[in-house]
């Protein structure tokens, strides 16, 4: 029996990276996990298999986010497999690939559509599925609180919008006993940070941001999300949790 036995969780962007780590951890804690993916069905199925391999229960649902009608379509796919939800983790996100000097409107709009608009409408159109006493965790970034990487400005701005969403939503959903929190990772080794691979100098620089002298792992973030999803965190809401390994100190 895990602490989340009997609960249903939906983790967006759980085919890879931090989302996969979160899905696997919530699965180990006993939750039945909806493993959402954008394009990578095979990877999502690997996440499902990893959860099932340790006795958990999971299923994959695919839906591109950041496009019109995304939330309604995702919920339709979810409803076909589950009834009601206890934990929603808005993890899917994209970074900025162009620096401030050359970013175009289309890239800016896409970043905001995936990182800020999609979580907003997922909750707006899905809130009635979320049971009283439920949990929402939004995966933000340390960059919404520091100008450490100013060229990623559009990305950081989109996550700052997500943080405001967290704060206000905690007031709107608090009367139902639903907590809403942001978790802010620093540099974590995933496909998103592929530049770390094979570049020892870049990796050492990234590690040096953290007071603990290393790059984060997906489990470092998943464990914080698991705490917020658990009953132990029932009195924590509207918070922005620094999970940067002390990169902001
Ligand atoms: P990742 O390895 O690139 O994985 C991204 C995940 O999101 C994948 O499952 C992907 O699905 C999904 N996704 C991306 N765009 C999507 C879209 N338009 N529609 C549907 N699904 C989409 O990313 P990550 O590094 O794990 O990052 C996860 C979250 O942590 C993001 O919100 C990111 O901003 C945040 N974060 C990451 C770091 C870091 O250093 N890695 C630091 C701070 C914050 P498919 O594989 O199916 O395409």
């Amino acid at each position: 029996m895990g602490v989340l036995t009997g609960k249903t969780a939906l983790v967006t962007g759980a085919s890879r990276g931090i989302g996969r780590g979160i899905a696997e951890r919530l699965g180990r804690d006993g939750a039945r996990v909806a493993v959402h993916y954008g394009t990578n069905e095979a990877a999502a199925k690997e996440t499902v298999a990893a959860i099932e391999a340790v006795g958990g229960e999971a299923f994959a649902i695919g839906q591109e986010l950041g496009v019109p009608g995304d939330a309604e379509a995702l919920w339709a796919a979810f409803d076909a497999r589950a009834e009601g939800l206890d934990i929603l983790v808005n993890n899917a996100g994209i970074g900025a690939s162009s620096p401030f000097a050359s970013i175009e409107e289309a890239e800016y709009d896409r970043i905001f559509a995936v990182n800020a608009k999609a979580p907003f409408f997922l909750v707006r159109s899905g809130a009635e599925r979320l049971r009283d006493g439920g949990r929402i965790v939004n995966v933000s970034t340390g960059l919404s609180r520091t100008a450490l990487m100013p060229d990623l400005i559009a990305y950081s701005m989109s996550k700052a919008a997500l943080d405001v969403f967290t704060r206000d939503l905690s007031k709107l959903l608090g009367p139902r006993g639903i907590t809403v929190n942001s978790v802010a990772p620093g540099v974590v080794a995933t496909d998103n940070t592929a530049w770390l691979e094979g570049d020892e100098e870049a990796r050492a620089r990234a590690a040096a941001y953290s007071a603990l002298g290393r790059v984060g792992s997906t489990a470092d973030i998943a464990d914080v999300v698991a705490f917020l999803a658990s009953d132990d965190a029932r009195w924590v809401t509207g918070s922005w949790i620094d999970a940067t390994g002390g990169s902001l100190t």
Side-chain angles (χ1 to χ4, degrees):
M1 271 286 273
V3 295
L4 298 180
T5 297
K7 309 277 188 198
T8 300
L10 165 61
V11 183
T12 66
S15 49
R16 298 182 283 118
I18 293 171
R20 175 183 283 192
I22 294 169
E24 290 186 8
R25 171 66 206 263
L26 299 183
R28 272 205 309 282
D29 285 352
R32 179 170 186 238
V33 186
V35 173
H36 163 266
Y37 64 93
T39 54
N40 209 329
E41 184 178 9
K45 285 186 169 161
E46 282 174 26
T47 307
V48 169
I51 293 169
E52 289 172 345
V54 292
E57 211 187 321
F59 58 92
I61 49 173
Q63 174 58 45
E64 183 181 1
L65 297 174
V67 294
D70 53 1
E72 293 298 345
L74 189 152
W75 287 122
F78 176 85
D79 290 344
R81 303 294 301 270
E83 203 177 306
L85 182 69
D86 302 285
I87 301 155
L88 169 63
V89 183
N90 285 308
N91 163 79
I94 53 170
S97 42
S98 313
F100 178 63
S102 59
I103 191 165
E104 303 280 357
E105 272 187 54
E107 187 182 353
Y108 177 98
D109 287 346
R110 175 90 181 136
I111 290 168
F112 270 75
V114 176
N115 294 357
K117 187 176 176 186
F120 182 99
F121 282 98
L122 266 184
V123 175
R124 218 272 279 130
S125 65
E128 78 276 6
R129 289 167 185 82
L130 200 59
R131 283 187 267 272
D132 291 359
R135 300 280 188 266
I136 297 175
V137 180
N138 295 318
V139 179
S140 178
T141 171
L143 295 178
S144 67
R145 298 273 176 105
T146 175
L148 200 61
M149 299 181 186
D151 259 331
L152 300 182
I153 185 167
Y155 168 74
S156 307
M157 287 169 65
S158 72
K159 294 293 190 173
L162 186 66
D163 294 342
V164 174
F165 179 53
T166 292
R167 206 179 59 204
D168 287 1
L169 198 59
S170 70
K171 290 277 192 177
L172 290 172
L173 298 182
R176 293 181 48 205
I178 296 170
T179 68
V180 189
N181 292 288
S182 282
V183 169
V187 182
V188 177
T190 67
D191 294 346
N192 219 348
T193 49
W195 47 271
L196 291 170
E197 291 311 313
D199 184 342
E200 277 319 305
E201 211 179 297
R203 199 177 179 92
R205 229 180 8 257
Y209 293 140
S210 160
L212 300 168
R214 66 171 175 83
V215 165
S217 69
T218 59
D220 290 331
I221 309 308
D223 290 354
V224 178
V225 174
F227 162 68
L228 290 171
S230 76
D231 187 56
D232 286 350
R234 63 195 169 276
W235 199 234
V236 181
T237 194
S239 285
W240 187 90
I241 310 284
D242 179 339
T244 69
S247 300
L248 306 181
T249 49

